[in-house]
Amino acid sequence: MEKRETMLEAYLKKGMSRRSFLKGCVALTSIMGLSTDMLSKVVEAAETTQLPVVIWLHGHECTGCDESFIRSGAPLASDLVLNNIALEYDHLLSAACGEPFEAHLEETIQKYYGKYILAVEGAVATSDNGIYCMTGGKPFVDTLQHVAKGAAAVIAYGSCAVSGGIQAAKPNPTGSSGIGHYIGNKPLINVPGCPPIAEVMTGVVMHIALFGKLPPVDSENRPKQFYGNRIHDTCYRRPFFDAGMFADRYDDAGAKAGWCLYRLGCRGPETYNSCGNMRWYQGMSYPIQSGSPCIGCSNTNFWDNAPFSERLPKYGPLGDIDKIGAGLAIATTAGVAVHGALSVVQKKKRQDEENDGEQVNK
Ligand code: FSX
Ligand code: SF4
Ligand code: F3S
């Protein structure tokens, strides 16, 4: 197999300085959720590791995940695609199309068999022999199975690839599901969200690219550095929740004052994602900051939990959230205590289920 260039060589070849390369490594270290003392390891890997070949497939979806990805700010998506990975095939981002494009996919599979990373967005549609999602003239499910056979590892980007997403919402006429059952026994990492945060997408692929293994994952195969907290745990409106101060309408005085959106249906207490701390568009905002409750877009089958304006049925043993706050100091204290205890139990459960990153044969 021919030797591919390293990340450093890719930078230098394009006339960029070593300083730019180091700045790129700093951005990557931060986005992979690593501490700064790992920077030297990232630099070393970027100097010596050949750029990983990536094949990126799109199934049954809206392409929102790639739309999110191309807005990655640190690192820039353009840097990632041009300097940090060797993106050989992408249904959405590649300029090529038609038979030469499909032939290139085949060549890439043969040339890098067992070595490439397969990134997948979108669900698999299986009803009526898969005709509801065709790519390259074939049912997507066939393409996926074919490409997955030669992959070193598979990344499921977005809630559709992870659990079927909106296509799999009841009554699911296209027989859609996540990709997990169609990739054999390949190492799989799930990156849910509709779509996932751009920098989470870049952070995951670069971790595999540079270190040759999946980042540590939780019991649902999600990278724990990005899905280790609930939205509720990092929400800046949380003090209002704890104080029992809730908006009842999108335009009432509480909403205008930034109070908690729980009564408007917020799924933050049951949703694991990084929106509260990383936010979107280079840290600009996230749904709750924009006045919309979290709809739990990184949860399995979250569309079936609509309507999203309906509040979560129960929250802890107290049941009725109205008993918390609103002058009921005792209930508030009890609520916070129970809430804290539940968080500890959940955290313990998750820690028990977690494991370390799986090696991939890159
Ligand atoms: Fe699904 Fe992604 Fe939602 Fe859309 O690629 S996760 S419908 S944002 O596009 O798959
Ligand atoms: Fe934030 Fe929603 Fe939790 Fe309220 S319920 S604190 S808005 S995550
Ligand atoms: Fe999705 Fe909730 Fe974040 S809706 S984008 S997980 S705040």
Side-chain angles (χ1 to χ4, degrees):
M1 193 186 304
E2 76 185 36
K3 184 178 179 311
R4 301 188 311 279
E5 61 194 1
T6 64
M7 197 174 122
L8 174 61
E9 287 163 351
Y11 269 76
L12 298 180
K13 200 166 105 187
K14 292 188 178 74
M16 287 188 274
S17 63
R18 184 170 169 82
R19 187 180 165 81
S20 308
F21 164 75
L22 290 173
K23 276 163 98 176
C25 290
V26 171
L28 285 174
T29 307
S30 137
I31 215 60
M32 287 188 288
L34 301 174
S35 65
T36 43
D37 45 359
M38 285 293 285
L39 177 60
S40 57
K41 286 222 162 27
V42 172
V43 172
E44 191 187 328
E47 283 173 340
T48 55
T49 312
Q50 297 175 40
L51 297 187
V53 171
V54 178
I55 296 176
W56 200 305
L57 299 179
H58 291 247
H60 213 192
E61 46 121 16
C62 75
T63 71
C65 302
D66 243 1
E67 293 288 346
S68 172
F69 169 74
I70 59 176
R71 283 161 183 81
S72 175
L76 282 169
S78 52
D79 269 350
L80 187 102
V81 169
L82 298 175
N83 302 322
N84 301 359
I85 61 175
L87 183 61
E88 288 288 339
Y89 181 96
D90 186 319
H91 279 142
L92 192 76
L93 298 181
S94 297
C97 63
E99 284 174 11
F101 187 44
E102 296 310 313
H104 182 66
L105 173 63
E106 262 332 290
E107 273 166 33
T108 306
I109 292 171
Q110 300 314 326
K111 199 164 162 190
Y112 301 109
Y113 201 83
K115 302 283 178 196
Y116 56 83
I117 299 171
L118 170 58
V120 185
E121 292 177 30
V124 175
T126 55
S127 291
D128 300 326
N129 300 318
I131 59 163
Y132 300 114
C133 183
M134 307 285 286
T135 55
K138 287 186 291 196
F140 174 65
V141 59
D142 294 349
T143 306
L144 172 65
Q145 286 176 316
H146 175 59
V147 183
K149 259 190 204 142
V154 182
I155 307 173
Y157 277 136
S159 294
C160 300
V162 173
S163 56
I166 193 159
Q167 294 72 218
K170 289 174 187 156
N172 192 1
T174 57
S176 288
S177 69
I179 65 167
H181 293 304
Y182 300 93
I183 59 161
N185 57 0
K186 298 293 175 177
L188 169 70
I189 188 157
N190 287 328
V191 185
C194 188
I197 300 171
E199 287 79 11
V200 170
M201 297 177 76
T202 48
V204 169
V205 71
M206 283 317 297
H207 189 109
I208 304 171
L210 288 175
F211 298 118
K213 62 179 188 175
L214 301 185
V217 295
D218 66 12
S219 60
E220 293 182 29
N221 274 3
R222 300 174 296 194
K224 63 183 182 186
Q225 76 261 43
F226 299 119
Y227 296 87
N229 290 308
R230 295 172 305 169
I231 301 298
H232 190 60
D233 297 326
T234 50
C235 182
Y236 74 103
R237 297 193 192 220
R238 177 63 180 277
F240 293 109
F241 176 92
D242 291 343
M245 296 161 80
F246 302 104
D248 285 310
R249 287 166 33 141
Y250 290 100
D251 59 351
D252 67 10
K256 286 176 188 156
W259 291 5
C260 172
L261 303 174
Y262 179 85
R263 285 187 189 159
L264 292 170
C266 186
R267 268 54 173 162
E270 61 174 24
T271 303
Y272 288 86
N273 207 337
S274 287
C275 310
N277 43 1
M278 292 177 74
R279 308 200 181 184
W280 289 73
Y281 303 119
Q282 298 166 53
M284 187 170 74
S285 188
Y286 72 118
I288 291 168
Q289 192 175 344
S290 306
S292 164
C294 168
I295 62 171
C297 79
S298 51
N299 292 335
T300 301
N301 300 331
F302 76 98
W303 292 107
D304 290 336
N305 293 328
F308 299 118
S309 54
E310 234 165 58
R311 70 170 74 172
L312 291 171
K314 277 191 192 301
Y315 191 69
L318 284 182
D320 187 352
I321 200 72
D322 294 332
K323 289 191 183 134
I324 301 177
L328 295 174
I330 296 171
T332 301
T333 312
V336 172
V338 170
H339 177 71
L342 283 176
S343 297
V344 170
V345 171
Q346 284 185 342
K347 194 171 173 197
K348 172 80 175 67
K349 186 166 171 271
R350 289 171 60 76
Q351 278 169 349
D352 290 347
E353 291 165 346
E354 284 165 359
N355 57 33
D356 282 335
E358 186 175 351
Q359 195 71 32
V360 302
N361 180 30
K362 190 168 60 71

